Amino acid sequence: MENKEIAVEVKDVCIHYRIMKDVTVRHSFLRKHERDTVFEAVKNVSFEVEKGGIFGIIGKNGSGKSTLLRAIAGVFSPNSGTIDLKGHTVSLMALGVGFKNNLTGRDNISLSGMLLGFSEAQIQDKMQEIIDFAEIGDFIDRPVRTYSSGMHSKLAFAITAMLETDIMLVDEVLSVGDERFKKKSLNKMKELIGDKNRTVIIVSHSIPTLKDLCDTVMWIHDGEIKEIGTPQKVLDDYVVFMNK
């Protein structure tokens, strides 16, 4: 039996936030013995994604999906547990992540490319392709803080789609923008994941998208894994649960 190569290994990952109470300085001294509330966003999550796999993550809002994806991307470290990318390069496609608001879209393309490990020459070679795909017109030379959420999404998708890494992490970006751009993005995503050397993890609320693209889906509920399996089975169970 052929050994399957693992591209992403997440083991016993826990992520929590400390919720600071909104109190005055005087009250903070009077109540200094009280502890701040800790919110457990991700609780002992473990899973593996094979090289070339398309792994979907679904769950209600606040279930820990995006938090987990950002930890895999290295935006922050988990409080405990390990995330092993097996030496692969990784990019996160998510709204508002990684952009410097006072820089132009063009400058953010360069910055994002450098952070992903691409050379200046490689970035310049892909620059016009990224700009053309993003379809944001003259805004490419305006500060990102002037962008709508749709423009953010289009540029984020274009950068990650054209500057191809070994592992792509996609957080709801396919669901933002007009219908024509959604269709174009979905077709581009299908093209990208057709490469059996590329591994993709997609966080989405779109059941049709996950059924269409993924070979495995994980359902997270309140920070814990509820089910991992085939898209049809997991997503059907998720729909039944959410309609109760």
Side-chain angles (χ1 to χ4, degrees), residues 2-228:
E2 183 184 354
N3 288 328
K4 293 177 180 177
E5 184 179 347
I6 301 300
V8 180
E9 182 182 30
V10 175
K11 197 170 183 179
D12 299 324
V13 164
C14 294
I15 303 169
H16 62 249
Y17 301 111
R18 192 170 297 281
I19 302 172
M20 303 296 288
K21 292 186 175 68
D22 186 16
V23 296
T24 64
V25 173
R26 179 174 176 272
H27 282 156
S28 68
F29 280 111
L30 293 174
R31 300 165 61 183
K32 62 184 176 181
H33 62 283
E34 293 185 10
R35 294 182 178 179
D36 295 313
T37 302
V38 172
F39 173 67
E40 295 181 278
V42 177
K43 308 169 189 174
N44 296 305
V45 168
S46 299
F47 64 91
E48 294 178 343
V49 184
E50 293 176 9
K51 183 177 180 180
I54 305 112
F55 189 88
I57 304 176
I58 197 165
K60 67 177 184 178
N61 288 333
S63 60
K65 306 183 303 297
S66 295
T67 299
L68 179 59
L69 207 67
R70 280 158 174 71
I72 295 171
V75 175
F76 50 76
S77 299
N79 296 93
S80 61
T82 59
I83 297 170
D84 188 353
L85 303 182
K86 310 296 181 180
H88 295 109
T89 56
V90 63
S91 58
L92 172 62
M93 190 186 298
L95 189 60
V97 173
F99 286 162
K100 298 296 183 183
N101 283 333
N102 288 327
L103 296 182
T104 66
R106 191 183 300 272
D107 288 340
N108 269 291
I109 293 172
S110 296
L111 179 60
S112 297
M114 287 187 287
L115 290 173
L116 290 173
F118 291 91
S119 68
E120 187 175 345
Q122 288 173 316
I123 298 165
Q124 288 305 315
D125 187 53
K126 291 283 188 177
M127 180 69 75
Q128 195 57 48
E129 195 175 351
I130 293 168
I131 292 170
D132 290 344
F133 193 96
E135 298 179 353
I136 59 173
D138 293 341
F139 275 89
I140 196 66
D141 291 309
R142 298 180 189 175
V144 166
R145 59 181 160 76
T146 66
Y147 287 15
S148 66
S149 61
M151 289 177 185
H152 262 274
S153 174
K154 288 179 175 182
L155 187 58
F157 186 94
I159 291 171
T160 311
M162 303 305 161
L163 296 176
E164 301 170 14
T165 54
D166 300 326
I167 301 170
M168 290 177 61
L169 309 176
V170 184
D171 190 0
E172 291 291 357
V173 173
L174 291 176
S175 65
V176 182
D178 56 54
E179 287 303 318
R180 193 189 61 79
F181 191 82
K182 285 181 189 176
K183 186 174 181 181
K184 184 171 86 163
S185 299
L186 187 60
N187 289 336
K188 182 63 179 177
M189 182 60 69
K190 287 179 178 178
E191 177 190 324
L192 290 170
I193 65 181
D195 182 348
K196 293 303 179 185
N197 290 317
R198 181 167 295 107
T199 306
V200 183
I201 301 178
I202 302 174
V203 163
S204 181
H205 286 107
S206 171
I207 289 171
T209 296
L210 295 179
K211 279 187 177 178
D212 190 26
L213 295 180
C214 301
D215 45 50
T216 305
V217 170
M218 178 173 72
W219 168 16
I220 292 185
H221 183 71
D222 291 342
E224 298 179 297
I225 296 174
K226 196 149 180 89
E227 188 177 355
I228 297 180

